[in-house]
Amino acid sequence: MEHHVYFAVFGFDHDPAQLDLMLGQSADDYWRVGDTYSDLVPEARRRENRWILSSQLDRDASHRDHFEKLLRKLQTLAGHLPQLEQHHYRFGIGVSQYFFMDDPAFYLPAELIDGFRALGFEIRFDQLGLDERA
């Protein structure tokens, strides 16, 4: 199983690096309008700016480890998060998981979910499963 867990701010027209000052934290990654998605397909371009804070764990670390690391990083930003709403930025937590099994399970303990809720995040889960016929 592979995971990627991140917090992203999007929906703004300025350079994403400006959010470093507002949030008191450097992003782990930035997307800028017009940047390429990859060198393999240079004509595919980013359509929006994005400021990204990730767990920075290896993709084979457990989803619990990814969420715990991201929660600790977000807790250091707690005092700055209301500014995002004041500026009408869109933001949220994204998760990409790649399961290589027939019946994937996903579980987060209540204390982790409560930690994200304490920061003002609404927690919802939605899984999309694709099989060989898709």
Side-chain angles (χ1 to χ4, degrees), residues 81-133:
L81 293 175
Q83 294 179 53
L84 296 173
E85 290 179 344
Q86 291 169 1
H87 285 86
H88 304 288
Y89 293 133
R90 297 186 344 253
F91 58 92
I93 297 168
V95 181
S96 299
Q97 295 178 209
Y98 304 93
F99 293 95
F100 303 101
M101 60 186 94
D102 291 333
D103 187 22
F106 185 85
Y107 169 79
L108 285 177
E111 62 268 12
L112 264 179
I113 293 172
D114 291 343
F116 283 101
R117 285 186 176 144
L119 292 172
F121 292 100
E122 187 176 318
I123 305 297
R124 293 186 305 263
F125 297 98
D126 186 16
Q127 283 185 297
L128 173 64
L130 302 176
D131 62 20
E132 295 170 7
R133 296 169 285 186

Side-chain angles (χ1 to χ4, degrees), residues 59-87:
R59 290 183 181 227
D60 59 351
S62 74
H63 61 268
R64 180 180 179 153
D65 289 345
H66 279 278
F67 276 95
E68 284 177 346
K69 176 88 182 275
L70 184 62
L71 178 59
R72 285 194 305 271
K73 290 175 93 170
L74 287 171
Q75 286 170 332
T76 66
L77 299 179
H80 300 283
L81 293 175
Q83 294 179 53
L84 296 173
E85 290 179 344
Q86 291 169 1
H87 285 86

Side-chain angles (χ1 to χ4, degrees), residues 17-86:
Q18 291 180 16
L19 287 171
D20 290 352
L21 297 174
M22 178 191 297
L23 296 173
Q25 162 84 43
S26 293
D28 295 319
D29 196 9
Y30 302 104
W31 292 359
R32 290 179 176 88
V33 170
D35 286 352
T36 61
Y37 275 92
S38 82
D39 293 335
L40 296 174
V41 187
E43 63 275 7
R45 302 283 179 172
R46 303 279 181 190
R47 298 176 67 191
E48 65 181 359
N49 293 320
R50 190 172 289 199
W51 186 94
I52 302 165
L53 191 66
S54 68
S55 65
Q56 293 188 303
L57 296 176
D58 292 335
R59 290 183 181 227
D60 59 351
S62 74
H63 61 268
R64 180 180 179 153
D65 289 345
H66 279 278
F67 276 95
E68 284 177 346
K69 176 88 182 275
L70 184 62
L71 178 59
R72 285 194 305 271
K73 290 175 93 170
L74 287 171
Q75 286 170 332
T76 66
L77 299 179
H80 300 283
L81 293 175
Q83 294 179 53
L84 296 173
E85 290 179 344
Q86 291 169 1

